[in-house]
């Protein structure tokens, strides 16, 4: 149907997806970075996004479990270590602190109880469905598509920069501890994505494979977007919190009646 | 932690979940049944819900694939046949028409192109994530929990009656053809759920199994609810349609900009 694209055309087609539908375009992020959200709304975001953070290593290990090539597995392992960290209990080497722990420093700084965050109790069900869809995707599709789905990292550095600047400008909770996750990702993401992009550009040999890679990347932008839709619906507008989900102290639970 | 409930207490605890969080409580359904939605919004609902309908036989076959007992499989098979139907091409025995075909008569009546509906192109990604979570759940949890997750059928007849009455009262598209899915389910659901409820009440022998069954039923209500949250957010309020999703003819696509 479609013809095989050149490496440059294929690269441009991948980038065009981010241009069109990466979640930096979502109104929730614009409110978040623009200083328009109340603390409880930001808590809801950080609490839900925590499930994404803790699921990323499971996603990457699922990908690795499908790789035949030890060199490829060694290269991919860094992503798991970035999230899980290299510290043992009691060790205090800051550079070894992983992304999950850094995210918990953000939820600490927002006044959320760590045990509550880690319990995953107040999650929006839609967060769980979207994130689990990612882990299932990389298990159920080809390795090439699994790698392609990671390429939203192409677009991440600019949203992280925007977030760091927006948080520093607008929110009292912004400090070295709460921002450390995003600062660290500014270094890590470009390194990861260079590898993933090269892999995809090199290993998509047919027009069909290229099409599947583009679909995989679109799928990934959709699941990022869906997480923000659910947050926006529950905590911004129309502010209908689903039964059982986290209720910020500055909000009332939504009452539903027949 | 908790004690084993009597059969009657356990039954009451299952019903209490429906009382508290079945999706008849969701504002989208109240608008839908109350005649407050425009045709395009109802199209969006029917289009998205179609993915749920076509996934139900896959869900039930996944459950059946885990059953050791032929008698149990024979009993469960009826659900698949109810959705898939018993007709061959060209045959015109109305009683043999399955739920999927009946749902397509609803989307026909709403003016949607069948090929478009069946292509699943316009779906909200959140619909796909929630529905796929259901199929994955019955694969990844115990058979008992899988059966328990089906027990939202306990609460379905009253929403179907409400829907039939509301559609007839409020919408020009309501007729024997577009309502035939719901009328048929009024007969089928009570028969199915009697079997499933008895199975769960009889086979949850420990407090932990009862707890897991309650959690499974809550999970099911959450995925039904999340589908309506996504529809409400995209097509009612704040009416932010995600990139790539169905745009009714009476709406503009949402423009997102940086």
């Amino acid at each position: 149907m479609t013809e095989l694209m050149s490496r440059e055309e294929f690269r441009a087609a991948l980038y065009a997806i981010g241009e069109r539908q990466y979640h930096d375009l979502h109104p929730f992020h614009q409110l978040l970075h623009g200083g328009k959200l109340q603390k409880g709304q930001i808590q809801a975001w950080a609490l839900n996004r925590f499930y994404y953070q803790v699921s990323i290593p499971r996603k990457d290990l699922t990908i690795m479990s499908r790789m035949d090539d030890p060199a490829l597995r060694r290269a991919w392992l860094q992503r798991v270590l970035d999230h899980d960290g290299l510290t043992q209990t009691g060790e205090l080497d800051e550079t070894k602190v992983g992304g999950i722990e850094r995210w918990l420093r953000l939820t600490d700084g927002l006044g959320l109880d760590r045990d509550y965050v880690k319990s995953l109790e107040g999650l929006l069900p839609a967060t769980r469905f979207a994130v689990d869809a990612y882990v299932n995707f990389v298990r159920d599709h080809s390795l090439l598509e699994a790698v392609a789905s990671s390429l939203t990292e192409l677009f991440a550095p600019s949203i992280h920069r925007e977030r760091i600047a927006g948080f520093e400008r607008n929110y009292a909770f912004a400090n070295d501890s709460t921002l450390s996750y995003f600062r660290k990702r500014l270094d890590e993401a470009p390194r990861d994505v260079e590898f993933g992009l090269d892999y995809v550009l090199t290993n998509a040999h047919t027009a069909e494979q290229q099409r599947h890679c583009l679909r995989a990347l679109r799928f990934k932008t959709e699941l990022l977007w869906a997480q923000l839709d659910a947050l926006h619906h529950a905590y911004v507008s129309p502010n209908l919190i689903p039964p059982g989900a986290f209720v910020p102290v500055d909000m009332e639970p939504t009452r539903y009646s027949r």
Side-chain angles (χ1 to χ4, degrees), chain A residues 207-226:
Chain A
E208 188 183 24
Q209 286 175 325
Q210 290 180 336
R211 213 160 50 237
H212 287 175
C213 288
L214 294 168
R215 189 186 60 184
L217 184 55
R218 272 200 307 277
F219 159 79
K220 173 69 175 298
T221 61
E222 287 168 357
L223 73 88
L224 294 173
W225 193 277

Side-chain angles (χ1 to χ4, degrees), chain A residues 33-51:
Chain A
H33 302 157
K36 305 291 193 233
L37 295 186
Q38 300 300 309
K39 187 169 177 181
Q41 295 170 311
I42 303 173
Q43 286 177 331
W45 167 73
L47 178 75
N48 277 275
R49 173 87 186 188
F50 177 73
Y51 186 59

Side-chain angles (χ1 to χ4, degrees), chain A residues 180 205 258:
Chain A
S180 82
H205 300 297
R258 288 185 178 81

Side-chain angles (χ1 to χ4, degrees), chain A residues 72-135:
Chain A
L72 198 51
R73 292 198 296 263
R74 278 196 301 273
W76 208 267
L77 180 64
Q78 190 57 45
R79 294 165 183 253
V80 177
L81 301 179
D82 284 344
H83 277 81
D84 286 353
L86 297 165
T87 50
Q88 304 303 323
T89 312
E91 208 183 325
L92 284 173
D93 181 346
E94 266 303 300
T95 63
K96 292 186 178 174
V97 172
I100 293 172
E101 169 65 24
R102 290 174 196 269
W103 197 271
L104 287 168
R105 292 177 180 178
L106 170 62
T107 57
D108 288 346
L110 287 164
L112 289 167
D113 179 72
R114 271 194 183 216
D115 287 338
Y116 177 71
V117 174
K118 291 202 259 186
S119 77
L120 307 177
E121 274 168 29
L123 284 190
L124 293 169
T127 300
R128 203 182 281 272
F129 303 147
V131 171
D132 290 350
Y134 191 18
V135 181

Side-chain angles (χ1 to χ4, degrees), chain A residues 17-257:
Chain A
I17 290 170
E19 197 50 48
R20 200 166 54 237
Q21 61 191 86
Y22 187 56
H23 65 172
D24 62 333
L25 286 166
H26 197 286
F28 189 90
H29 271 158
Q30 299 184 338
L31 296 170
L32 176 66
H33 302 157
K36 305 291 193 233
L37 295 186
Q38 300 300 309
K39 187 169 177 181
Q41 295 170 311
I42 303 173
Q43 286 177 331
W45 167 73
L47 178 75
N48 277 275
R49 173 87 186 188
F50 177 73
Y51 186 59
Y52 182 77
Q53 299 302 334
V54 293
S55 299
I56 290 301
R58 293 194 299 116
K59 181 271 295 181
D60 284 316
L61 290 161
T62 305
I63 293 182
M64 287 175 67
S65 75
R66 309 187 56 208
M67 291 173 168
D68 295 329
D69 177 359
L72 198 51
R73 292 198 296 263
R74 278 196 301 273
W76 208 267
L77 180 64
Q78 190 57 45
R79 294 165 183 253
V80 177
L81 301 179
D82 284 344
H83 277 81
D84 286 353
L86 297 165
T87 50
Q88 304 303 323
T89 312
E91 208 183 325
L92 284 173
D93 181 346
E94 266 303 300
T95 63
K96 292 186 178 174
V97 172
I100 293 172
E101 169 65 24
R102 290 174 196 269
W103 197 271
L104 287 168
R105 292 177 180 178
L106 170 62
T107 57
D108 288 346
L110 287 164
L112 289 167
D113 179 72
R114 271 194 183 216
D115 287 338
Y116 177 71
V117 174
K118 291 202 259 186
S119 77
L120 307 177
E121 274 168 29
L123 284 190
L124 293 169
T127 300
R128 203 182 281 272
F129 303 147
V131 171
D132 290 350
Y134 191 18
V135 181
N136 291 329
F137 182 91
V138 303
R139 183 194 62 206
D140 296 340
H141 288 71
S142 71
L143 179 57
L144 179 63
E145 288 164 290
V147 173
S149 70
S150 75
L151 295 184
T152 47
E153 285 166 345
L154 288 168
F155 324 123
S158 88
I159 201 175
H160 284 147
R161 271 191 291 272
E162 187 187 324
R163 183 167 299 155
I164 291 165
F167 278 14
E168 285 181 329
R169 192 164 47 240
N170 295 307
Y171 299 114
F173 69 80
N175 58 40
D176 285 350
S177 173
T178 55
L179 294 178
S180 82
Y181 175 83
F182 309 108
R183 292 216 173 100
K184 190 114 186 295
R185 289 303 294 160
L186 280 182
D187 298 330
E188 293 164 353
R191 176 208 62 207
D192 292 346
V193 79
E194 199 174 332
F195 182 87
L197 179 60
D198 184 68
Y199 182 89
V200 168
L201 294 175
T202 304
N203 289 282
H205 300 297
T206 68
E208 188 183 24
Q209 286 175 325
Q210 290 180 336
R211 213 160 50 237
H212 287 175
C213 288
L214 294 168
R215 189 186 60 184
L217 184 55
R218 272 200 307 277
F219 159 79
K220 173 69 175 298
T221 61
E222 287 168 357
L223 73 88
L224 294 173
W225 193 277
Q227 290 176 68
L228 296 181
D229 271 359
L231 282 163
H232 196 275
H233 188 255
Y235 299 106
V236 179
S237 168
N239 193 13
L240 294 173
I241 304 174
F246 170 67
V247 180
V249 289
D250 50 11
M251 283 185 196
E252 289 293 311
T254 310
R255 307 270 173 220
Y256 297 97
S257 59

